[in-house]
Structures are given as C-alpha cells and as structure tokens.
Amino acid sequence: MMEDLAMHTLEILMNSVHAGAKNIKLEITDSAAKDELLISVLDDGKGMDEETAKKASDPFYTSRTTRKIGMGLAFLRGLAETCGGEFSLSSEPGKGTLVTASVQRSNIDTPPLGDIGEMMMETIQADGDIDYELAYVTDNGRFGFSTKEAKEMLDGVSILEPGVLLWIKEYINEGIKQVKEDIV
Amino acid sequence: MKSLEELRKIREAALKKVEMREGGKDYRVVVGMATCGIAAGARPVLNRLVEETAKKDYNCTVSQTGCIGMCVYEPIVEVYGKDGEHTTYVHVTPDMAAEILEKHIAGGQVIEEYTVAAAAAGNKEV
C-alpha cells in the first residue's frame, strides 16, 4: 500500500500525464489552524465525460486497456474518507480534470506528507515537455516552483539532466521545509 | 538556501560536458516505473541512478518507462548502448543500480549475474 501522501499524489499526477496534459497545477494547502491538508491537481488533459468521471474513483473501473485495474483515484478517495476529509473530481472533455482530496491533519489515520521533492522529480522525469506549477501553502507562508521558470533559467539545457532533476528535488524539499509546520 | 540562479551554473556545467563529449551520451538507462515497478521498489532505484549519474557524471541519460510486461522481475533497469545493444537487469536494488553504472556505463562490462537471462536460468533449476 501507499505509505505517504506524496505517493498517492504521484498516482494522480501520472493520470494527468497519461491524459495528455501539457500543464499540471499541484497545490498543497497544509493548515494547522484549519486542521486540514488539501491536495489539488488540475490538468489540461483530455478530460472525462460526466459518466466516466462518476465511475473514475470506483475501484472496479479503469480506462486502461493494458489490464483491468487502476486504483489511484479509488485509493485517494478511500484515504480522504478514512481520514476525516473529502474527495472531489470534476472534469470536462477536452478541457481537463480537477481532483481534490483533503484529510484532517490530526487524524490518526492520516499518513505523513512524504517526499514531495522526490515525487516532483519523478513526475517531471516521466515527460520533460509537461510544465508543472507547484504551490505548497501553510499558515506561515507559501513556497512555489514552476518548471517554466526553471526551463527559462536552463535556456536550452534539458530539464531531464540528472544534475537538474536532483537540484529540483532538493530545491523543493528545502522550500517546503522553510514554511512547513509541525503536526500538532 | 538554494535559489533558481543555481540552475544557471548547472546549465553551464552541462553545456561544458556536452562540448567535451562532442554530442550525445553513449548510454540510455531506463527504469520501469509503472505501478508494478514502484511496488517492487523502483523509486529508490531511480533516485539512486539519478543521484549517482549527477555526482559522478556518467556518460548516460536516465529515464522512465511504463510496464515492460515482466512484473515478476521488477524493479527492472534496461541499459541501451549507442549501437542499439540492450541489456535487461532485473530485481535491481539501489546498490546494484550504483554497481551497474560503475561497471557497465563507466567500465563497459555487462554484469551477467544481474541480467534477466541469469534470473531465468536460475528459475529453471528450481
């Protein structure tokens, strides 16, 4: 099973990658005051019609043709429901998909956040052409990272260079640490 | 504290390396990162490959692929040479990944006992 929120989120990001997204926005709002951690993934991929969107978080449904299981959304919905939060999915064919899931920070079943830097490195590496905007927001402040900005700095050098990927992972984890609060 | 400016330095270093090599990298290292690979432990393997390649400047790119269709052998690392030759390493751990880079990418030696052929031969004996 998936041991942290980063791994759950990676599954959702991979759905966006497979849906042909060119831009993916990931926002994590981690608020001690509201006792809530909210993850939202917005993509401009191919989207789903209403009927498919309804079935998407059903553990017995998948759009995959290579095999008959696909559990990313079902696991995330299960996690949100177990941890005192909410899950929602909205999608429009041709426009994209928005997935949000929240958990109660203080809930005993809420897993740790996990390694967001590593997760971003992995999803960026899946396809260097996709652009990501990451925001991590707490009551203390906000950390943001955008691959577009990074690519401008790199000016032609691939974002998939191992040195660059490693830097991204460390940059994100350092930035998150600056604004992160301890679980109360 | 890291800053985006550091990317410029990384960029310059990368460009210098390209000049020295006169073109692309000799090897392509590919990790199976489908759910089956991740469940078997492909994430730490991929991370180690990226880290070691960045630190020791191995002559290869590191990338991901989906399910290779041999889930029982995951984590799988495939090494493609520039002449099209191709080696499949199976049940790879992070330490084995580091060894593959050192011996195969830097040294040009295939590590036979880690390959799918060796694993398949072992299964027959059992």
Side-chain angles (χ1 to χ4, degrees):
Chain A
M1 264 307 284
M2 292 185 274
E3 63 244 35
D4 57 42
L5 294 169
M7 287 187 94
H8 278 275
T9 310
L10 182 63
E11 292 283 312
I12 308 309
L13 292 169
M14 285 299 158
N15 287 345
S16 298
V17 170
H18 291 135
K22 291 277 157 273
N23 295 282
I24 303 175
K25 259 187 194 171
L26 167 63
E27 198 165 303
I28 303 169
T29 313
D30 192 357
S31 167
K34 286 199 245 167
D35 188 24
E36 183 187 71
L37 195 150
L38 184 114
I39 294 167
S40 83
V41 177
L42 174 68
D43 72 46
D44 61 355
K46 66 182 173 192
M48 289 173 270
D49 58 37
E50 207 175 319
E51 201 188 329
T52 312
K54 261 187 207 155
K55 289 188 291 193
S57 64
D58 176 342
F60 302 105
Y61 177 80
T62 182
S63 64
R64 286 171 69 170
T65 50
T66 47
R67 67 185 67 155
K68 289 183 178 166
I69 56 164
M71 288 295 197
L73 285 166
F75 279 158
L76 185 64
R77 190 182 78 182
L79 178 88
E81 286 168 0
T82 310
C83 303
E86 278 169 20
F87 171 88
S88 82
L89 187 154
S90 58
S91 190
E92 205 178 314
K95 289 233 166 123
T97 301
L98 171 68
V99 177
T100 64
S102 64
V103 292
Q104 225 176 355
R105 279 173 114 246
S106 61
N107 194 300
I108 188 112
D109 288 320
T110 295
L113 184 60
D115 193 328
I116 298 294
E118 194 176 302
M119 176 201 80
M120 287 305 295
M121 176 181 109
E122 284 161 3
T123 188
I124 289 168
Q125 208 196 20
D127 183 343
D129 291 332
I130 298 175
D131 276 311
Y132 290 89
E133 263 179 64
L134 164 74
Y136 177 79
V137 186
T138 68
D139 303 329
N140 292 339
R142 177 186 190 280
F143 167 75
F145 172 75
S146 132
T147 53
K148 270 196 184 133
E149 272 175 36
K151 282 174 187 171
E152 263 170 43
M153 285 285 181
L154 287 167
D155 192 13
V157 166
S158 169
I159 197 161
L160 302 179
E161 276 286 322
V164 175
L165 287 169
L166 202 62
W167 179 87
I168 290 175
K169 170 182 155 180
E170 286 165 5
Y171 179 71
I172 290 173
N173 281 343
E174 243 181 47
I176 286 178
K177 214 171 154 192
Q178 298 284 321
V179 291
K180 193 174 161 65
E181 300 145 351
D182 292 328
I183 301 266
V184 278
Chain B
M1 185 65 195
K2 289 190 177 309
S3 76
L4 275 176
E5 281 297 323
E6 284 177 26
L7 277 180
R8 283 199 203 281
K9 279 183 214 152
I10 297 176
R11 172 179 182 271
E12 273 149 36
L15 287 177
K16 244 179 232 161
K17 279 180 218 159
V18 173
E19 274 169 33
M20 268 159 48
R21 272 194 202 112
E22 294 173 11
K25 310 252 171 107
D26 283 352
Y27 289 97
R28 202 155 58 86
V29 179
V30 180
V31 187
M33 281 285 285
T35 310
C36 51
I38 292 173
R43 291 175 90 224
V45 170
L46 176 74
N47 279 309
R48 186 72 175 271
L49 287 168
V50 171
E51 262 168 43
E52 296 280 329
T53 305
K55 274 182 205 150
K56 298 186 184 155
D57 189 23
Y58 287 117
N59 189 5
C60 64
T61 60
V62 179
S63 55
Q64 306 178 8
T65 184
C67 180
I68 297 161
M70 301 192 290
C71 308
V72 68
Y73 287 121
E74 294 281 359
I76 295 175
V77 172
E78 293 183 291
V79 176
Y80 294 88
K82 64 177 168 189
D83 301 321
E85 77 275 18
H86 149 222
T87 311
T88 305
Y89 292 110
V90 299
H91 298 311
V92 178
T93 63
D95 286 344
M96 282 163 71
E99 199 182 330
I100 289 165
L101 289 173
E102 197 184 313
K103 294 199 176 144
H104 192 151
I105 307 304
Q109 289 299 314
V110 173
I111 309 172
E112 295 293 346
E113 65 261 41
Y114 294 168
T115 61
V116 66
N123 281 348
K124 267 179 213 152
E125 280 160 28
V126 178

